[in-house]
Amino acid sequence: MNLQIAGHHIDITPALRSYVENKLDPVLRHFDRVSGVNVILSVEKLKQKAEVTIHVPGKDMHVEESGDDLYAAIDAMFDKLDRQVLKYKQKMQDHRGGKKADIHAVE
């Protein structure tokens, strides 16, 4: 997996990098077929913004969150991403086995 963390108008400190990596771990535990992750952290006047794009087979998921505190924005962003990944994983499992289950239920 390829992880890129970039900052716009902000320096990415080792503490900030490790915080993002720690928040990404639960997402990767829920879905292990992630090929790449791009994280962009930015500061615009008083607004702190965090964006992430995650590359999975067949889809790219993009989430962004902003707020007064960068760490709170990162938390909220990864919560949203985790929900999207779980929904995508469930959809993929339903898609594979769902048609067979419906056919057997009708018979």
Side-chain angles (χ1 to χ4, degrees):
M1 182 203 60
N2 185 17
L3 172 63
Q4 294 179 344
I5 302 174
H8 288 203
H9 305 291
I10 187 172
D11 291 329
I12 304 298
T13 62
L16 198 54
R17 178 177 294 277
S18 68
Y19 188 77
V20 169
E21 289 172 354
N22 288 339
K23 287 295 183 175
L24 184 62
D25 282 341
V27 175
L28 298 178
R29 264 189 272 129
H30 287 139
F31 194 71
D32 59 349
R33 296 177 50 199
V34 175
S35 60
V37 178
N38 296 329
V39 179
I40 300 172
L41 306 174
S42 61
V43 176
E44 300 169 1
K45 293 192 179 185
L46 299 175
K47 187 167 77 167
Q48 315 283 325
K49 186 175 178 185
E51 301 177 48
V52 64
T53 303
I54 189 169
H55 308 284
V56 295
K59 188 171 186 167
D60 290 343
M61 295 181 211
H62 180 79
V63 177
E64 57 184 63
E65 187 67 38
S66 60
D68 295 334
D69 181 27
L70 185 60
Y71 287 97
I74 291 170
D75 288 343
M77 176 188 67
F78 280 113
D79 286 343
K80 282 183 181 180
L81 181 64
D82 196 32
R83 285 192 304 268
Q84 276 192 11
V85 166
L86 288 174
K87 184 176 177 182
Y88 177 73
K89 183 178 177 181
Q90 185 65 40
K91 186 176 180 181
M92 294 303 293
Q93 289 173 347
D94 290 347
H95 182 68
R96 277 192 239 138
K99 291 182 181 179
K100 290 180 183 176
D102 289 342
I103 292 172
H104 294 296
V106 174
E107 292 177 11

